[in-house]
Amino acid sequence: MQPRNTKTRRRPHFFFVPSCSWLRAFVAAAAAAAAAESCSRARPADLRPIPGQNVLLITIDTLRADALSCYGGPALTPALDRLAAQGVRFDFAHAHAVITLTSHASILTGTYPYQHGIRDNSGYRLPAHARTLATLLEQSGYATGAFVGAFPLHSRFGLNQGFDVYDDRFGDTRAPTEFVMPERPASVVVSPARAARPPKCPVAQPNSAARGRDT
């Protein structure tokens, strides 16, 4: 039996970047002329699997869809408009809770609040060994990282499961008082995410005979 050839290859990435201020960052970073781009054209979605595809999950807290220009809203959101025009825009989607931590637990686990058990922004924790998007991608060989901007997503609540890096350094870690909670602006959230360099790992490659059989 011939030994398999191996080479070092970068793992595909999964980055989770939630922020209360992402909307301002997108608006500031994009040219105003791009606001005229239309995202209303209906196109069939290309949902074919792409091996080694990177995954970037961005959430924007306390944002109504009908505020965005690609949904007919008054806000100028050119970067989001481009994403909607070039990707898949959903006409019917809703959060399972109006609370940040609860909603993000549902996003990452694919379950309802009564199933994952988180009901508020503090006092609850995702169960250990929960099955999340991050844990599944990590098991599939992805390099995973999260860069969060506000207290409700602090690692103490268990959303860090499955992430190689979970950056929640937003300063004050005290629990929120009334409607005020520790957070950091989008620029501070994005900088460590862009600077992150997921580790490389050896990936087994098929030998020439195996490649011949595949073709």
Side-chain angles (χ1 to χ4, degrees):
M1 184 173 65
Q2 296 181 351
R4 292 184 299 173
N5 296 323
T6 61
K7 69 178 183 179
T8 299
R9 188 175 70 181
R10 182 173 295 234
R11 297 158 63 190
H13 308 162
F14 167 50
F15 276 3
F16 172 40
V17 188
S19 173
C20 295
S21 305
W22 257 95
L23 182 57
R24 293 193 294 272
F26 274 126
V27 174
E37 288 192 52
S38 170
C39 60
S40 59
R41 292 176 297 173
R43 296 182 300 175
D46 183 358
L47 300 179
R48 293 175 299 174
I50 304 175
Q53 177 67 48
N54 293 331
V55 178
L56 176 62
L57 172 62
I58 301 173
T59 61
I60 308 174
D61 204 5
T62 63
L63 173 66
R64 288 173 57 107
D66 59 8
L68 305 176
S69 56
C70 63
Y71 283 96
L76 298 180
T77 52
L80 295 179
D81 292 350
R82 282 201 300 273
L83 286 175
Q86 298 171 8
V88 178
R89 180 176 65 88
F90 290 89
D91 292 323
F92 181 76
H94 61 86
H96 292 300
V98 297
I99 300 171
T100 301
L101 177 59
T102 307
S103 186
H104 281 80
S106 289
I107 292 172
L108 291 177
T109 64
T111 60
Y112 293 106
Y114 79 87
Q115 294 172 305
H116 58 64
I118 294 181
R119 304 299 180 93
D120 207 342
N121 280 334
S122 62
Y124 295 87
R125 180 179 174 84
L126 196 66
H129 310 298
R131 184 174 180 267
T132 71
L133 178 59
T135 61
L136 293 175
L137 290 176
E138 185 185 42
Q139 292 169 8
S140 298
Y142 274 72
T144 56
F147 304 85
V148 306
F151 175 82
L153 302 185
H154 193 278
S155 58
R156 69 178 69 180
F157 302 123
L159 296 186
N160 60 329
Q161 298 178 55
F163 286 104
D164 299 323
V165 176
Y166 197 89
D167 188 330
D168 55 3
R169 298 172 295 174
F170 43 77
D172 196 346
T173 59
R174 293 174 298 177
T177 58
E178 296 181 350
F179 292 101
V180 178
M181 62 183 63
E183 63 180 23
R184 57 182 176 174
S187 58
V188 180
V189 175
V190 174
S191 294
R194 298 184 67 173
R197 293 292 182 268
K200 296 180 179 180
C201 65
V203 178
Q205 299 296 316
N207 58 35
S208 58
R211 287 198 297 269
R213 288 195 300 270
D214 291 340
T215 58

